[in-house]
Amino acid sequence: MRNEPSFVYNAPARAFHWLTALLLLIQYVLAWTMPDVHRDTKPVGLIAWHLGVGMVIVLLLVVRLVWRGVHGAPPEPDTLPSALRTLARFTHALLYALLIAVPLMGWANASSRDWSVTLLGVPMPPLSRAGSSIGHALGDWHRNFAWVLLALVGLHVAAALFHQFVLGDGTLRRMLPAHGDRARSEQ
Ligand code: HEM
Ligand code: HEM
């Protein structure tokens, strides 16, 4: 019990994790409710929200990766078979890669439509030329890889539930405001 805090992600890492999950949920709802994007579509209303929330996800991910680079992650309990540990690490790395690649593709597509993209109101540079065929194609990639990201999140959540309800090994608590925090403040 005394050593437990060291197995729990620190508070900022947990905040980044759950904020990303929340923004991603909002982002998919926006994507599926916004009007279809055609040649003459203007980036207003729900589409503008989709671009805006997507850019905040990019910012959050950059800050999160810097934080992780500086502070690292808590040690993994050695109860997990090494194959599963490798699978978990691989899935997490892929989640990070897609969390950066999917919005960048959307950004490039928006630029190819000559839409201005802003981050919290600050104009961002275009990622492709207006009318660019690559930027156009990246719109399809953006949509397809958003499905891959969603499938991977599904796998990740299923794994978390498997840990919690089948293995009962406390993995979920690594991402929750755990007793560990209280234990630490009481010490
Ligand atoms: C992780 C973040 C993001 C996710 C999960 C996401 C998800 C999606 C999904 C699922 C669609 C398809 C909607 C449909 O089928 O009708 C879509 C379309 C689109 N998104 Fe995103 N998006 C993200 C970030 C962004 C960003 C940052 C931008 C631009 C700055 C953007 C721009 C677009 C555009 C322009 C489309 C229409 C593409 C087309 O139909 O050619 N997205 N997005
Ligand atoms: C109900 C939803 C979710 C649950 C229950 C959950 C649970 C967890 C847990 C327990 C961990 C720690 C695993 C460990 O270190 O052993 C974790 C890590 C992680 N989660 Fe989630 N998660 C959820 C949603 C998401 C979403 C939506 C994303 C982003 C797409 C995400 C991305 C990650 C990443 C990248 C890590 C690795 C953190 C690191 O070591 O840097 N999770 N999650």
Side-chain angles (χ1 to χ4, degrees):
M1 200 64 180
R2 232 153 213 280
N3 291 330
E4 196 181 350
S6 60
F7 284 97
V8 176
Y9 281 86
N10 57 36
R14 297 193 310 257
F16 290 138
H17 177 271
W18 293 114
L19 195 55
T20 307
L22 177 69
L23 288 178
L24 212 54
L25 175 72
I26 293 172
Q27 186 67 340
Y28 277 102
V29 172
L30 286 169
W32 292 329
T33 50
M34 70 190 188
D36 285 347
V37 175
H38 300 293
R39 185 184 281 268
D40 299 321
T41 307
K42 297 273 174 275
V44 292
L46 292 179
I47 298 178
W49 275 99
H50 182 76
L51 307 194
V53 172
M55 294 305 286
V56 172
I57 292 176
V58 175
L59 174 68
L60 193 63
L61 195 79
V62 171
V63 177
R64 179 174 175 184
L65 286 179
V66 170
W67 179 268
R68 196 192 195 286
V70 173
H71 297 271
E76 293 153 332
D78 49 17
T79 47
L80 207 60
S82 72
L84 271 189
R85 212 179 307 170
T86 308
L87 181 67
R89 279 195 204 153
F90 178 71
T91 310
H92 293 161
L94 211 54
L95 280 171
Y96 280 133
L98 286 173
L99 274 176
I100 216 52
V102 167
L104 289 186
M105 292 175 201
W107 182 353
N109 180 256
S111 303
S112 76
R113 297 175 186 282
D114 209 11
W115 293 353
S116 70
V117 173
T118 59
L119 172 61
L120 300 170
V122 180
M124 292 288 116
L127 286 194
S128 70
R129 267 184 310 104
S132 135
S133 54
I134 295 178
H136 178 74
L138 283 173
D140 294 339
W141 287 72
H142 176 67
R143 271 186 275 118
N144 293 336
F145 275 97
W147 280 110
V148 178
L149 173 60
L150 194 61
L152 212 60
V153 169
L155 182 72
H156 175 70
V157 174
L161 296 178
F162 184 75
H163 277 284
Q164 181 68 13
F165 296 111
V166 181
L167 301 179
D169 60 6
T171 295
L172 191 56
R173 281 201 289 152
R174 283 162 62 77
M175 261 314 166
L176 296 176
H179 312 297
D181 279 2
R182 254 178 276 142
R184 186 170 37 193
S185 59
E186 282 163 12
Q187 271 165 26

